[in-house]
Each structure stands twice: as structure tokens, then as C-alpha cells.
Amino acid sequence: MFQTLYSYFWWERLWLPANLTWADLEDRDGRVYAKASDLYITLPLAFLFLVVRHLFETYVATPLAGLLNVKEKVRLKATPNAVLEKFYAATTKHPKQAEVEMLSKKSGCTVRQVERWFRRRRNQDRPSLLKKFREASWRFTFYLIAFIAGMAVIVDKPWFYDLREVWKGYPIQSMLPSQYWYYMIELSFYWSLLFSIASDVKRKDFKEQIIHHVATIILISFSWFANYIRAGTLIMALHDSSDYLLESAKMFNYAGWRNTCNNIFIVFAAVFIITRLVILPFWIMHCTVFYPLDLYPAFFGYYFFNFMMVVLQSLHIFWAYLIIRMAQKFITGKVVEDERSDREETDNSEEEEEAAKNGPLSNGHPVLNNNHRKTD
């Protein structure tokens, strides 16, 4: 049974153009080709990435946060209450008015106290500013190094300047050592992101992030199996070109460097829109959709690869919509914030009580005006 499924999965007509077999892609005469077994190494490398990430966040990102004066906002903890905690964990974190009134009777608290308890309890579960900074620092470092490495891999290749060269001689295209390591490192990193997504900062596009990571892993893996390596390196470098800018903008935002954050964000928005909404669909996807048909008839692998490209492009359009909304706020003079973020809730009643006693407070110190909203 397993052998039958294995044979169907690796049927040449699924992966290769007509009249070609896996035998045509066997190493010979000094030419080396991509093999599915090469990707086994990406799983242990992914766990190695998780270890390196932990060390980086502990010994690099945390001291850097201190140097940049990344400060945590003082959070008031919810008073222990078994009734409210049970409802919070088992039912919902956002009770409706009728549920609040019911919980008020069960817990012996007033309605206002119940509402305040849920606000504070939700804030306790939100990731700290230091956690956000450390995560952004790690991704910034990887994306920047990956972009530089990716450009070094492809900038001297003829298909970087002439996209028709991507398919010249396909699929009899020998793999270079630089392409091998570029693929292994990129795929391992995305595996590590998928493994850690449950513990990373959760944003409103959590489901879209999962789809993106899965689609990226499938696309990278399939392009390796089918020897779409030249196209794959171009696509990976294109994606890395804007990601490190976004992560650096987040870092400066968490550090309170608003002007620097806003300026980097504008650069990021321009690079993102140009690369993801212009170059990718009108150059790269045009290359993967039309140029191969000049060499061989369409086959399953051709359709599957381009379908996954459409999935990624759909996600790019979704994120571009969020970016444009953020850009509009910047242009109109509002603070740029991450539209995907879950904003921290303020405890108005507590603030009023503290203000009555000591005046407005910020991190325990009086200030003249604390009406601004801290954004992610």
C-alpha cells in the first residue's frame, strides 16, 4: 500500500514535463541535480534555528533592548477570582453584557469590577514589549542576512537580468552549492517559524501567517523537487528585500523612536508594493506562467507551482491593504501602528482613581499629559 502511494506521488508526469524521467536528473559528468532527500536536513536545521534564536534573543536582543531603552508598560494584575478565572479560561475572554451581569452575581463583584477584572486579565496575557522587540530583532537579523546572501547568490547569474534564462535548458539545470545552501537555510527558517508560531506574538492575521508559512514551505519544497531552483532563488530574494525593513521599523517603534520608525515604514511600504505588487506578478509570475510554455506543454507541476504563487500573491494583496491603511494614518498625521496588532486596553476607572490621588501617571511617574495611546 505504502509503495503504491509512493509510486503515485513520485510519478514523473506530476513533477516533470513530458518525455522526461527522474533518470534524466541523475548526477553525471560533474553535474549535480536537486534531490528530494536533500530536504531531510531542513528539519534538524529548523530546530537548530530555534536554539540559535533563543541564544540570540537572550544574549543579543535583550541587551540591545536595554541600550535602546525599551521600557515595559506597568500592568495592573487582576485580583485572583476563581469564578471569573474559570469563565475566562473555559468560555470567553470577552464576555457580553448579560454574561458580565451574571458573573457579577456569582462572584459577588460589581459589574464595573467584573469589567475591570477582564480588562486587566486580558492585558496579562498580551505579550510584553520586550518579547515583541526580541522577536522583531531576530527576524530582522535573519531577513537582512538572507537578503544579502540571496543577492550574492543570484546577482552574477544571467537569469537575474534576463528572465528567459530561468528556463534555458530546463529541467537539465545543474545545481550550484550556493543555491543548495540558500534553499536549505530559507526552508529551515520557515519550518522554525511554523514550529514557533504558537508561542510567538499573535496578531490579527494569525491565520494568514499560518497559510503564508505553509504555502512558502510547499512552494520552496516543490520548486526543489521539480528543479525550479532558478525561479525559486529569485522569489526568495524578492521576499526578503522588504521583510527586514518591516522588522527594523518595529524595533524602533518599540524603542519609542517614532520618527525613525515612520521613515523606515515609508521605505518599507514603497519596497513592499514595488516588489510584491509589481515585480512579483508582472515579472516573476509572468516568467513562470508564460515562458515555460515555449519549451514544453503544461503539466501538473506547472499548474501546482503557479497555483501556490497565486496563493502567496493573494496574501500580499491582503497585507498591502493593511499597509496602505497604515500609510493613510501617517499621511494624515496619525501615529503609524501595526494594523495587525491587538491593542492593550486601558483601565479608565483605575486611571481616574490614580489621577485623583497623584495626578496622571506614566510608568509610576507624574506627567503633564498622558492622553496619547501607546501603539504596537
Side-chain angles (χ1 to χ4, degrees), residues 8 57 141 164 245 293 307 309 353:
Y8 276 120
E57 291 184 347
T141 302
R164 289 191 178 275
L245 292 170
L293 300 180
F307 169 75
M309 290 291 291
E353 292 170 7

PDB file of all heavy atoms in Angstrom, residues 8 57 141 164 245 293 307 309 353:
ATOM      1  N   TYR A   8       2.838   6.581  -6.902  1.00  0.00           N
ATOM      2  CA  TYR A   8       1.938   7.588  -7.473  1.00  0.00           C
ATOM      3  C   TYR A   8       2.443   9.001  -7.175  1.00  0.00           C
ATOM      4  O   TYR A   8       2.364   9.898  -8.024  1.00  0.00           O
ATOM      5  CB  TYR A   8       0.522   7.417  -6.919  1.00  0.00           C
ATOM      6  CG  TYR A   8      -0.299   6.378  -7.643  1.00  0.00           C
ATOM      7  CD1 TYR A   8      -0.804   5.258  -6.977  1.00  0.00           C
ATOM      8  CD2 TYR A   8      -0.582   6.502  -9.009  1.00  0.00           C
ATOM      9  CE1 TYR A   8      -1.557   4.300  -7.643  1.00  0.00           C
ATOM     10  CE2 TYR A   8      -1.328   5.551  -9.679  1.00  0.00           C
ATOM     11  CZ  TYR A   8      -1.814   4.451  -8.989  1.00  0.00           C
ATOM     12  OH  TYR A   8      -2.560   3.511  -9.665  1.00  0.00           O
ATOM     13  N   GLU A  57      18.142  35.906  21.258  1.00  0.00           N
ATOM     14  CA  GLU A  57      17.218  36.767  21.997  1.00  0.00           C
ATOM     15  C   GLU A  57      17.704  37.014  23.427  1.00  0.00           C
ATOM     16  O   GLU A  57      17.473  38.094  23.987  1.00  0.00           O
ATOM     17  CB  GLU A  57      15.822  36.136  22.013  1.00  0.00           C
ATOM     18  CG  GLU A  57      15.148  36.128  20.642  1.00  0.00           C
ATOM     19  CD  GLU A  57      13.738  35.582  20.697  1.00  0.00           C
ATOM     20  OE1 GLU A  57      13.367  34.990  21.737  1.00  0.00           O
ATOM     21  OE2 GLU A  57      13.004  35.724  19.701  1.00  0.00           O
ATOM     22  N   THR A 141      17.418  40.344  11.878  1.00  0.00           N
ATOM     23  CA  THR A 141      18.763  39.831  11.642  1.00  0.00           C
ATOM     24  C   THR A 141      18.765  38.753  10.563  1.00  0.00           C
ATOM     25  O   THR A 141      19.601  38.779   9.647  1.00  0.00           O
ATOM     26  CB  THR A 141      19.348  39.253  12.953  1.00  0.00           C
ATOM     27  OG1 THR A 141      19.353  40.274  13.951  1.00  0.00           O
ATOM     28  CG2 THR A 141      20.759  38.741  12.735  1.00  0.00           C
ATOM     29  N   ARG A 164      14.195  34.973 -19.254  1.00  0.00           N
ATOM     30  CA  ARG A 164      14.081  33.805 -20.136  1.00  0.00           C
ATOM     31  C   ARG A 164      15.187  32.790 -19.850  1.00  0.00           C
ATOM     32  O   ARG A 164      15.036  31.594 -20.145  1.00  0.00           O
ATOM     33  CB  ARG A 164      14.120  34.243 -21.600  1.00  0.00           C
ATOM     34  CG  ARG A 164      12.855  34.988 -22.047  1.00  0.00           C
ATOM     35  CD  ARG A 164      12.802  35.186 -23.546  1.00  0.00           C
ATOM     36  NE  ARG A 164      11.570  35.851 -23.947  1.00  0.00           N
ATOM     37  CZ  ARG A 164      10.415  35.236 -24.175  1.00  0.00           C
ATOM     38  NH1 ARG A 164      10.346  33.914 -24.040  1.00  0.00           N
ATOM     39  NH2 ARG A 164       9.345  35.912 -24.531  1.00  0.00           N
ATOM     40  N   LEU A 245      13.097  45.440   6.535  1.00  0.00           N
ATOM     41  CA  LEU A 245      12.715  46.829   6.782  1.00  0.00           C
ATOM     42  C   LEU A 245      11.541  46.898   7.756  1.00  0.00           C
ATOM     43  O   LEU A 245      11.511  47.748   8.654  1.00  0.00           O
ATOM     44  CB  LEU A 245      12.344  47.509   5.465  1.00  0.00           C
ATOM     45  CG  LEU A 245      13.498  47.737   4.485  1.00  0.00           C
ATOM     46  CD1 LEU A 245      12.963  48.190   3.124  1.00  0.00           C
ATOM     47  CD2 LEU A 245      14.461  48.782   5.039  1.00  0.00           C
ATOM     48  N   LEU A 293       5.906  27.602 -21.320  1.00  0.00           N
ATOM     49  CA  LEU A 293       5.077  27.033 -22.388  1.00  0.00           C
ATOM     50  C   LEU A 293       5.762  27.118 -23.743  1.00  0.00           C
ATOM     51  O   LEU A 293       5.347  26.437 -24.688  1.00  0.00           O
ATOM     52  CB  LEU A 293       3.727  27.749 -22.433  1.00  0.00           C
ATOM     53  CG  LEU A 293       2.885  27.648 -21.144  1.00  0.00           C
ATOM     54  CD1 LEU A 293       1.565  28.386 -21.311  1.00  0.00           C
ATOM     55  CD2 LEU A 293       2.635  26.189 -20.777  1.00  0.00           C
ATOM     56  N   PHE A 307      -0.218  27.870  -9.007  1.00  0.00           N
ATOM     57  CA  PHE A 307      -1.334  27.997  -8.061  1.00  0.00           C
ATOM     58  C   PHE A 307      -0.825  28.474  -6.702  1.00  0.00           C
ATOM     59  O   PHE A 307      -1.422  29.366  -6.079  1.00  0.00           O
ATOM     60  CB  PHE A 307      -2.049  26.653  -7.900  1.00  0.00           C
ATOM     61  CG  PHE A 307      -3.034  26.639  -6.758  1.00  0.00           C
ATOM     62  CD1 PHE A 307      -4.259  27.280  -6.871  1.00  0.00           C
ATOM     63  CD2 PHE A 307      -2.727  25.994  -5.568  1.00  0.00           C
ATOM     64  CE1 PHE A 307      -5.167  27.280  -5.814  1.00  0.00           C
ATOM     65  CE2 PHE A 307      -3.620  25.984  -4.507  1.00  0.00           C
ATOM     66  CZ  PHE A 307      -4.838  26.627  -4.637  1.00  0.00           C
ATOM     67  N   MET A 309       1.829  30.186  -6.213  1.00  0.00           N
ATOM     68  CA  MET A 309       2.226  31.581  -6.398  1.00  0.00           C
ATOM     69  C   MET A 309       1.020  32.509  -6.267  1.00  0.00           C
ATOM     70  O   MET A 309       1.118  33.602  -5.700  1.00  0.00           O
ATOM     71  CB  MET A 309       2.878  31.755  -7.767  1.00  0.00           C
ATOM     72  CG  MET A 309       4.244  31.106  -7.898  1.00  0.00           C
ATOM     73  SD  MET A 309       5.503  31.940  -6.908  1.00  0.00           S
ATOM     74  CE  MET A 309       5.647  33.488  -7.807  1.00  0.00           C
ATOM     75  N   GLU A 353      -8.935  57.018  39.305  1.00  0.00           N
ATOM     76  CA  GLU A 353      -8.673  56.964  40.743  1.00  0.00           C
ATOM     77  C   GLU A 353      -7.245  57.428  41.059  1.00  0.00           C
ATOM     78  O   GLU A 353      -7.019  58.180  41.996  1.00  0.00           O
ATOM     79  CB  GLU A 353      -8.884  55.528  41.251  1.00  0.00           C
ATOM     80  CG  GLU A 353     -10.341  55.084  41.188  1.00  0.00           C
ATOM     81  CD  GLU A 353     -10.479  53.601  41.468  1.00  0.00           C
ATOM     82  OE1 GLU A 353      -9.465  52.968  41.837  1.00  0.00           O
ATOM     83  OE2 GLU A 353     -11.589  53.079  41.320  1.00  0.00           O
TER      84      GLU A 353
END
